[in-house]
Amino acid sequence: MSRRDRLTCALGLTLVLVALTVALVACGDTSDGGRRDMDDDAKVTALEDDVSSARDGVVRAVAAALGSDFVGGKRRHRWCGESYAPRGVRLDEHLRFAPSPLGVQGATDAAARVLEEQGWTVERPGNPAVVVGTRGAVEVRVEAGPAAVQLDLGNPDCLETSDDVARAFADRDIADVAWESPSS
Amino acid sequence: MSTVVVPVDVPALPVMGSLPDGAVGLENDLRAALVNAKDVQAWAEAISADAFTGDASDASGHALTRFSRRLDVTEAALERAVLATSHFEDRLARLFSQSLTLDGDRTSLNGDLANLRADVAAASEADTAELQARADRLEARSTRLRDDIAAWSTRYADAEAEFVAALAAVDTVEEGRVAAADPGRVDPAVVVRTLGSDADDPAAVRRWWDRLSEAERQAVIAELPALVGNLAGVPVRYRDAANRAAVGSDVDGLTAQQADEPLTEQERDRLANASAVADVLDDYSQDVDPVTGELLAHLTQYQPDEHSGDGGVALFLGDPDVADHVSVYVPGTLSETGTLDGTIGNVDALHDAAGRSGDGTVAVGFWLDYDAPSIDGFSPGEIADLARVVTPGEAAAGGRDLADYLDGLRASDEGAPAHLSLIGHSYGATTSAYAAHDGAPVDDLVLLGSPGSPTSTAAGLTSADVHVGSADFDPITLLGASGPGLPGPLGYDPAQDSFGGQRFEVDPGSYRVQDLFHNHSSYFDDASLSNITDIVTGHDPDPVDGRHPGSYQTLDQLLVGSSAVSGGEWLWERGEDVVDGVVGSVVGGVRGLAEGLVRFP
């Protein structure tokens, strides 16, 4: 068999196998249908509740301890994989605050202390300006700098759902995070 | 003991009410208004009066000429405002950097003063002279530092005052007329001509840009944002400014046009692409570099009409011109400007992970300025577009453009050369391999889920270190594994041991046929993400053995085997349902029988 023939065979085999796979995947994706989507919707709602609770609880406490005023924030809705296989969802709330008067070291120390006091598992990675707190599926990442303090909270590990649920989640509009200061 | 006079602590610096990111935001808004005004002026000048004849034609021509001149007055005022804001932003950036230095000195001095107070409290009479000498030295340091802080405060106040004055100088129509008639006003066309024939040479472009005055740069950006934003060699912060202006112009202009008349297909594609990019920029509008205060997102490429309407776009989180580690991710099939969710999610995850390491500053971006096979519907053209996934033509063409883009990043890099890594996924891995083969100046090449490489060995591909992430149960990576020494339709499998790349640990994936594509889209998770992060920050990933003939499942084996497993699961689940149904019927029948017997008199 010539090299050209082998390439032709390989190409043909590839096309057949890819078509077969697409067909199988399509069958597999519809096999458990609506019931799974309802379960997944409930999981997503629970995740959103957990993130909102973290924002209204430990994040507020961290911001207060740092003495940093809220500047703005965005809530991001994303799928985990690619458009043809989204796999699940990731929620990320990005919150930006003014720099802390405690300085970078003081701010990260204070953030770690608050997280620990509220029962979060605290990690200090190699970057001394970063503190990470974890509770359940939710992670709070605090990064302090001379120009800003930024907090990201969400689920770094993919929450697996059906592809349809993941697509619907990622289709949501970008949302500004509402933040009312304690005095208002 | 005699008294030792210890100086009081140096108070904190005044808070900067204006920060660089605020100035950048204002500058972008002013520039967007300027570009919009230029668009309208161009439209007015292009309108033909042929629809009229006689006096009506003359009147129409005169009206449009007057309108165009009035717009020119507005543009001249906006040009000065943009330039003033740009200068202000530069000054703020310098002042902010100086404030960090001063604050560090202050913290150090106050610490020394605290130590001195503690020593004084514990000292005896015999120590007085030595302690007072220490106090005097600290007093001298304190005086110098207070003077420096006072000078810094004056410079900051001057910067704000001069900025306000510059804006106030163009806030009337008459001042706008004066600005428009200024013989020193920059003519962007003249400036661009000085580039000559060097537009394809990123290093020459960088030298040209460095020679321009700030006024010339701003004039060219406002007049030709599409040129500057995509010109390899121009510093990234200016490309970002130009591309943001172009995006804003497209969204505003086409949205307004859409309200009056139907858009052409090309205009609809352009608006969709511009809106998708604008959404990403909005998504990151609150993300700043916590050290410098500058916006995190940098739009380094924006070509909304390219690639059959799919558009071309590249964006960084972080500034690649100043970062220690720079990484460019190239997504694969089905990626286009309108579907950036997965791509930006991967970039964000990697930027976050690399930023935690503390191994230097990091900028992570994606490049999607090639015609990745995609499908937006089921027209013959779209199906033909997707079918190109089995040929390397687009990867080869994209690889050349990608290499040029990376040359541009090298040319605009400041300071010591950054550690540059190129990460390709799926068809993007093949594209990245072609770019490396074309001489892309990268230190590390990472091929994720690669369907094939143009050469049979890493050494034949590039002098960079080649790393391969290939899940055992990712069917796409097996496309290139047709057999020993045999390429697949897109080239050779880089995960083969004979290829000579360094394969690293990734999750093998699920052995169910319905999960196989999920396996292909899981490289930015868990162990794989950790290893990619190591590569991006200049470390070695956890190695695993490359594929040896006979030691792995080929594509047909994987498809047949995983289908059998999934089929078995399906039967098992349905079997359980059947058993549940039978048991339920039996139990229900027995219960009904028993209840009937109990009721029976």
Side-chain angles (χ1 to χ4, degrees):
Chain A
M1 188 184 280
S2 70
R3 179 181 172 83
R4 183 192 174 104
D5 291 340
R6 285 191 310 222
L7 279 172
T8 304
C9 284
L11 182 59
L13 174 65
T14 299
L15 288 171
V16 168
L17 292 176
V18 168
L20 174 64
T21 305
V22 168
L24 288 169
V25 169
C27 293
D29 202 36
T30 57
S31 61
D32 42 13
R35 189 180 64 193
R36 183 183 172 193
D37 283 356
M38 284 185 355
D39 292 345
D40 288 346
D41 283 338
K43 281 160 53 180
V44 171
T45 301
L47 171 66
E48 291 182 288
D49 289 346
D50 287 345
V51 168
S52 295
S53 296
R55 186 211 318 126
D56 295 338
V58 73
V59 168
R60 280 192 175 279
V62 168
L66 269 55
S68 296
D69 293 330
F70 181 72
V71 175
K74 294 285 181 183
R75 177 175 267 223
R76 298 167 183 146
H77 308 91
R78 296 209 170 108
W79 60 48
C80 305
E82 304 295 333
S83 57
Y84 49 84
R87 297 195 289 116
V89 305
R90 280 204 182 90
L91 178 61
D92 173 37
E93 271 198 12
H94 176 81
L95 307 172
R96 178 180 162 198
F97 296 85
S100 169
L102 302 177
V104 173
Q105 184 67 48
T108 49
D109 289 346
R113 191 170 56 249
V114 170
L115 287 163
E116 276 174 352
E117 285 171 357
Q118 299 213 7
W120 291 64
T121 302
V122 173
E123 179 200 353
R124 302 290 293 259
N127 185 343
V130 175
V131 175
V132 179
T134 309
R135 187 153 76 184
V138 177
E139 178 185 277
V140 174
R141 177 186 191 269
V142 183
E143 182 166 15
V149 172
Q150 298 184 105
L151 283 86
D152 286 272
L153 61 156
N155 60 314
D157 294 329
C158 182
L159 175 68
E160 293 190 3
T161 68
S162 71
D163 287 349
D164 286 345
V165 167
R167 287 192 181 97
F169 183 81
D171 275 348
R172 296 192 202 175
D173 289 336
I174 301 163
D176 289 326
V177 175
W179 181 276
E180 292 179 10
S181 61
S183 57
S184 62
Chain B
M1 175 184 153
S2 304
T3 303
V4 175
V5 181
V6 180
V8 298
D9 282 355
V10 176
L13 277 73
V15 174
M16 290 177 69
S18 305
L19 287 169
D21 72 303
V24 170
L26 175 62
E27 184 185 334
N28 286 335
D29 289 346
L30 288 168
R31 187 180 295 107
L34 172 57
V35 172
N36 280 342
K38 286 180 179 289
D39 289 345
V40 175
Q41 187 184 22
W43 164 81
E45 289 173 351
I47 287 179
S48 166
D50 290 348
F52 310 108
T53 56
D55 292 345
S57 176
D58 290 343
S60 169
H62 286 307
L64 288 171
T65 301
R66 282 198 303 275
F67 178 58
S68 178
R69 281 182 188 153
R70 284 176 186 162
L71 276 174
D72 192 50
V73 169
T74 304
E75 288 168 26
L78 284 169
E79 285 167 11
R80 291 206 175 177
V82 169
L83 185 58
T85 313
S86 175
H87 283 313
F88 186 47
E89 178 208 334
D90 282 344
R91 292 176 77 174
L92 287 178
R94 282 196 300 276
L95 285 161
F96 186 75
S97 174
Q98 291 161 2
S99 78
L100 296 182
T101 304
L102 291 170
D103 201 50
D105 292 346
R106 184 185 72 87
T107 303
S108 170
L109 175 59
N110 288 348
D112 290 346
L113 290 169
N115 291 336
L116 177 58
R117 287 189 200 98
D119 291 346
V120 168
S124 65
E125 183 69 32
D127 301 322
T128 302
E130 184 210 333
L131 291 171
Q132 187 58 58
R134 271 176 67 190
D136 292 345
R137 287 194 294 276
L138 291 177
E139 174 69 38
R141 267 177 68 189
S142 175
T143 301
R144 284 196 300 274
L145 182 56
R146 286 169 187 272
D147 289 346
D148 289 345
I149 291 174
W152 176 88
S153 298
T154 301
R155 289 197 299 277
Y156 176 68
D158 289 347
E160 284 199 324
E162 288 167 21
F163 175 57
V164 170
L167 292 186
V170 286
D171 66 354
T172 67
V173 173
E174 186 52 38
E175 287 165 339
R177 286 200 184 100
V178 171
D182 184 349
R185 186 179 177 191
V186 174
D187 182 345
V190 173
V191 177
V192 169
R193 277 202 293 275
T194 63
L195 176 59
S197 58
D198 288 336
D200 292 333
D201 179 351
V205 167
R206 175 61 195 266
R207 289 192 296 274
W208 168 73
W209 191 260
D210 285 347
R211 284 196 300 270
L212 301 182
S213 70
E214 189 62 22
E216 290 172 325
R217 292 171 184 165
Q218 295 297 339
V220 175
I221 290 173
E223 187 70 26
L224 300 163
L227 170 72
V228 177
N230 301 301
L231 190 55
V234 170
V236 161
R237 59 178 283 225
Y238 291 105
R239 291 176 74 166
D240 175 61
N243 286 325
R244 284 175 186 263
V247 170
S249 171
D250 284 344
V251 172
D252 293 347
L254 291 170
T255 301
Q257 184 182 334
Q258 189 174 231
D260 295 333
E261 61 188 54
L263 300 180
T264 64
E265 184 177 349
Q266 185 186 17
E267 288 168 340
R268 283 199 301 275
D269 285 342
R270 173 180 271 253
L271 179 57
N273 291 334
S275 299
V277 175
D279 282 348
V280 173
L281 295 175
D282 179 40
D283 206 359
Y284 283 90
S285 60
Q286 292 297 339
D287 288 63
V288 297
D289 182 322
V291 175
T292 65
E294 293 171 4
L295 286 173
L296 191 65
H298 292 87
L299 187 59
T300 47
Q301 200 89 352
Y302 172 65
Q303 309 214 77
D305 297 330
E306 292 297 304
H307 314 308
S308 315
D310 289 351
V313 61
L315 180 140
F316 267 97
L317 299 181
D319 185 345
D321 285 352
V322 298
D324 300 317
H325 302 285
V326 175
S327 189
V328 176
Y329 167 61
V330 182
T333 304
L334 302 185
S335 299
E336 54 188 42
T337 306
T339 57
L340 294 174
D341 293 46
T343 298
I344 195 73
N346 291 340
V347 167
D348 202 331
L350 183 55
H351 181 261
D352 178 290
R356 295 180 192 211
S357 72
D359 291 327
T361 54
V362 179
V364 180
F366 69 84
W367 179 86
L368 182 51
D369 194 11
Y370 77 111
D371 202 357
S374 62
I375 186 165
D376 291 326
F378 288 98
S379 67
E382 290 293 344
I383 292 170
D385 190 11
L386 182 62
R388 288 177 299 123
V389 72
V390 294
T391 66
E394 299 300 337
R400 288 189 288 276
D401 290 342
L402 175 56
D404 290 343
Y405 175 77
L406 295 166
D407 282 338
L409 291 181
R410 281 295 193 204
S412 62
D413 195 5
E414 295 173 9
H419 167 236
L420 179 57
S421 53
L422 174 61
I423 304 168
H425 173 245
S426 192
Y427 199 81
T430 302
T431 304
S432 299
Y434 272 96
H437 197 225
D438 282 342
V442 298
D443 300 302
D444 290 280
L445 174 66
V446 184
L447 304 175
L448 304 174
S450 172
S453 160
T455 64
S456 60
T457 66
L461 187 64
T462 173
S463 59
D465 290 338
V466 180
H467 311 269
V468 182
S470 181
D472 288 342
F473 304 140
D474 173 357
I476 305 301
T477 69
L478 298 170
L479 287 171
S482 301
L486 286 177
L490 293 178
Y492 297 86
D493 175 18
Q496 298 286 329
D497 188 66
S498 60
F499 185 78
Q502 179 56 67
R503 194 178 178 201
F504 61 83
E505 184 186 0
V506 302
D507 187 323
S510 159
Y511 198 69
R512 301 192 329 156
V513 71
Q514 60 266 49
D515 293 336
L516 294 185
F517 280 159
H518 288 191
N519 299 342
H520 185 59
S521 71
S522 299
Y523 287 99
F524 285 85
D525 284 309
D526 305 324
S528 177
L529 177 61
S530 175
N531 281 315
I532 298 168
T533 303
D534 282 341
I535 296 166
V536 166
T537 53
H539 301 287
D540 292 329
D542 295 333
V544 296
D545 289 339
R547 291 186 178 123
H548 293 273
S551 69
Y552 63 92
Q553 290 208 348
T554 58
L555 180 57
D556 51 343
Q557 290 168 334
L558 173 63
L559 289 176
V560 171
S562 61
S563 297
V565 168
S566 300
E569 282 183 8
W570 187 88
L571 285 174
W572 177 254
E573 288 166 4
R574 297 309 178 274
E576 280 186 325
D577 289 345
V578 170
V579 170
D580 286 347
V582 170
V583 169
S585 300
V586 169
V587 169
V590 170
R591 183 181 296 140
L593 179 61
E595 287 173 356
L597 288 173
V598 168
R599 288 195 202 104
F600 194 77

